[in-house]
């Protein structure tokens, strides 16, 4: 889902109050980390990924890998990446309904 400016602003305002769900440490960006990012997005739709200081990964590299999985990177703030994906399960689609309504 390609997000416009108004949708990204709305998602950024929601992301201010959430804590990072996934943390990337010195082990780097492994397949297990990418799988946990995908499953967390499926459950919550909007998550924050934190890159710890002892990690060799940069926020831009992490954002590129996340976008290759088909997820939307809303914003990169320092060592935090805000990620959005419409949930495949209908019962988890709370934020995406509001985001779709912002198109109008």
């Amino acid at each position: 889902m390609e997000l416009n400016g108004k949708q990204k602003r709305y998602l950024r305002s929601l992301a201010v109050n959430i804590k990072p769900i996934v943390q990337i440490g010195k082990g780097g960006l492994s397949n297990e980390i990418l799988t946990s990012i995908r499953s967390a997005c499926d459950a919550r739709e909007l998550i924050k990924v934190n890159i710890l200081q002892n990690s060799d990964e940069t926020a831009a590299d992490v954002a590129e890998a996340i976008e290759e999985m088909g997820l939307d990177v809303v914003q990169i703030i320092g060592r935090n990446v805000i990620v959005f994906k419409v949930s495949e399960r209908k019962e988890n689609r709370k934020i995406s309904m509001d985001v779709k309504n912002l198109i109008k």
Side-chain angles (χ1 to χ4, degrees):
M1 175 180 189
E2 189 65 32
L3 300 171
N4 63 24
K6 188 181 279 189
Q7 291 168 327
K8 285 184 180 181
R9 275 194 308 273
Y10 174 72
L11 291 171
R12 284 195 302 253
S13 71
L14 293 177
V16 168
N17 298 323
I18 62 174
K19 299 216 183 288
I21 302 292
V22 179
Q23 294 183 338
I24 300 172
K26 74 177 172 183
L29 194 62
S30 62
N31 286 335
E32 292 83 16
I33 297 285
L34 293 173
T35 303
S36 65
I37 289 172
R38 181 175 292 256
S39 62
C41 274
D42 228 11
R44 299 178 184 236
E45 290 189 320
L46 184 68
I47 65 166
K48 193 181 284 187
V49 178
N50 186 3
I51 304 162
L52 299 177
Q53 289 184 350
N54 62 351
S55 177
D56 292 334
E57 301 288 336
T58 64
D61 293 340
V62 172
E64 184 178 324
I66 289 172
E67 286 178 340
E68 287 176 4
M69 292 191 319
L71 307 177
D72 292 316
V73 173
V74 177
Q75 187 179 25
I76 300 172
I77 305 172
R79 300 182 72 82
N80 291 320
V81 180
I82 300 169
V83 182
F84 174 74
K85 178 186 179 282
V86 177
S87 178
E88 295 174 3
R89 292 181 246 149
K90 283 189 175 182
E91 64 269 10
N92 292 342
R93 291 184 194 159
K94 296 178 182 82
I95 298 172
S96 61
M97 301 308 266
D98 294 336
V99 170
K100 284 181 183 177
N101 291 336
L102 290 174
I103 293 175
K104 300 174 185 174

